[in-house]
Amino acid sequence: MKTIEQLLESKNIRVTAMRLLIYKFLAKKKVAVTLSDIENAFAKADRTTLYRTIKTFEEKVIVHQIDDGTGITKYALCEEGCNCDIKNDLHLHFHCNNCNETTCLTDHKIPQIKVPDGFVSENVNLVVKGICDKCSG
Amino acid sequence: MKTIEQLLESKNIRVTAMRLLIYKFLAKKKVAVTLSDIENAFAKADRTTLYRTIKTFEEKVIVHQIDDGTGITKYALCEEGCNCDIKNDLHLHFHCNNCNETTCLTDHKIPQIKVPDGFVSENVNLVVKGICDKCSG
DNA sequence: TAGTAAGTGCAATGGAAGTGCATTTGTTAT
DNA sequence: ATAACAAATGCACTTCCATTGCACTTACTA
Ligand SMILES: [Mn+2]
Ligand SMILES: [Mn+2]
Ligand SMILES: [Zn+2]
Ligand SMILES: [Zn+2]
């Protein structure tokens, strides 16, 4: 089990207070977060810093981006050893129409999708919408 | 085979010049279009009119919206007898990473997706990304 | 410890989406 | 046909998220 510091160093980005805080925030959350979620959590920090931090995390494959169709991009921590950099996430995402939260279903892999002749599939984005476990209870 | 006029009337919306033009534009295109594609095609018309026309078409299930992950919503004509109103499209969409065009694969239906216990699936958005037939040739 | 590269904060921009209201156009009833 | 009404259009404005330029500060490294 790596520390966050070790993780950041292994990705060749500097360890800063802000990055540690944001990483911990993401780790604590069990659902994907928007930039404004982060802004609300760190009201004292500048938006741009938070924005660029998350972009750096994305670039270094510490988080992955999720487009759940709400029009607002969300982010969630990557699994260790994921290959978010090659393909998009192989796991699927669930967006709750009730609480509006988006969850990584990390152990639900996306099935093989057939495309017509001439088309080459490189990656697949799959978002299931419905009612999440917390809301359906 | 219905005329466009008959189609619009059957959906209880008025036949106007603009609507006919936009419908024909969509029919001519074999790929999904953005609002600004339409704006470019009808530079003389007001943006709002185009916007509201496409929203009306969407509401009346003449077009369906496609979120291909580019951040810009696209639209494409519905098939006759589709049920875009109930679930999202059952067919899948292909986004070309080369030409940036999005195609309806109308006869490629989305497979059944399993979700964990407690989650209820209502609809599914599936976008395959890669190289389209025109670009892979 | 000086120099350099990276990170942060502030201000401004841009694009897409959406709304209020006045005007025009089409439909319907007299 | 014409008045009355409803729907469609055009213009102006707004909001929200994403993104960038530049100055300043902080962290690494020779
Ligand atoms: Mn995920
Ligand atoms: Mn489609
Ligand atoms: Zn929920
Ligand atoms: Zn292509």
Side-chain angles (χ1 to χ4, degrees):
Chain A
M1 190 61 188
K2 272 183 190 170
T3 66
I4 307 174
E5 284 85 349
Q6 287 169 335
L7 173 70
L8 296 180
E9 278 160 7
S10 76
K11 304 275 185 177
N12 291 309
I13 59 170
R14 289 185 184 168
V15 178
T16 69
M18 208 62 248
R19 286 174 179 168
L20 291 172
L21 285 169
I22 294 179
Y23 189 96
K24 282 173 196 157
F25 175 74
L26 292 166
K28 193 173 62 212
K29 284 268 178 183
K30 273 149 301 278
V31 293
V33 300
T34 65
L35 208 44
S36 56
D37 289 336
I38 302 177
E39 282 175 48
N40 293 335
F42 301 99
K44 276 169 288 186
D46 187 74
R47 267 206 322 281
T48 317
T49 304
L50 304 173
Y51 171 75
R52 287 199 261 238
T53 300
I54 207 81
K55 284 290 152 190
T56 303
F57 280 7
E58 194 186 348
E59 200 180 314
K60 300 292 182 176
V61 197
I62 293 167
V63 301
H64 61 276
Q65 199 174 336
I66 302 160
D67 174 14
D68 62 10
T70 55
I72 302 159
T73 52
K74 299 186 178 174
Y75 302 90
L77 287 183
C78 293
E79 304 282 291
E80 244 195 276
C82 73
N83 41 10
C84 291
D85 43 341
I86 308 172
K87 308 179 161 284
N88 266 7
D89 252 356
L90 326 102
H91 64 265
L92 59 95
H93 293 115
F94 188 94
H95 179 256
C96 179
N97 291 325
N98 182 244
C99 66
N100 205 34
E101 286 191 337
T102 298
T103 317
C104 295
L105 301 180
T106 42
D107 39 46
H108 283 65
K109 302 306 176 195
I110 294 176
Q112 191 64 29
I113 303 294
K114 277 189 77 171
V115 291
D117 280 354
F119 288 81
V120 181
S121 165
E122 290 178 347
N123 60 55
V124 177
N125 182 40
L126 201 163
V127 179
V128 178
K129 292 172 191 255
I131 308 297
C132 77
D133 55 346
K134 273 174 287 183
C135 292
S136 75
Chain B
M1 191 59 190
K2 272 184 194 170
T3 64
I4 307 173
E5 284 86 349
Q6 286 170 337
L7 174 69
L8 295 181
E9 278 160 10
S10 76
K11 303 275 186 177
N12 291 311
I13 60 170
R14 290 187 184 169
V15 178
T16 69
M18 209 60 249
R19 287 176 179 168
L20 290 173
L21 285 169
I22 294 178
Y23 189 97
K24 282 172 196 160
F25 175 74
L26 291 167
K28 193 174 63 211
K29 285 267 179 185
K30 275 153 296 282
V31 294
V33 301
T34 65
L35 209 45
S36 56
D37 289 336
I38 302 176
E39 282 174 49
N40 294 334
F42 302 99
K44 278 168 287 186
D46 188 74
R47 221 178 48 74
T48 315
T49 304
L50 304 173
Y51 172 73
R52 287 200 259 236
T53 300
I54 207 81
K55 285 290 154 192
T56 303
F57 279 7
E58 194 186 347
E59 200 180 313
K60 299 293 182 175
V61 197
I62 294 168
V63 301
H64 60 275
Q65 198 173 338
I66 302 160
D67 174 15
D68 62 10
T70 55
I72 302 160
T73 52
K74 298 185 179 174
Y75 302 89
L77 287 183
C78 292
E79 303 283 293
E80 245 195 274
C82 73
N83 42 9
C84 289
D85 44 340
I86 308 171
K87 307 181 160 283
N88 266 6
D89 251 355
L90 325 103
H91 65 265
L92 57 93
H93 292 116
F94 188 93
H95 176 75
C96 179
N97 291 324
N98 182 243
C99 66
N100 205 35
E101 286 191 338
T102 298
T103 316
C104 294
L105 301 180
T106 42
D107 38 46
H108 284 64
K109 302 304 176 197
I110 295 176
Q112 192 63 30
I113 304 294
K114 278 189 75 169
V115 291
D117 279 355
F119 289 81
V120 181
S121 164
E122 290 178 347
N123 58 52
V124 177
N125 182 40
L126 202 164
V127 180
V128 179
K129 292 170 193 256
I131 308 297
C132 76
D133 54 346
K134 274 174 288 184
C135 292
S136 74

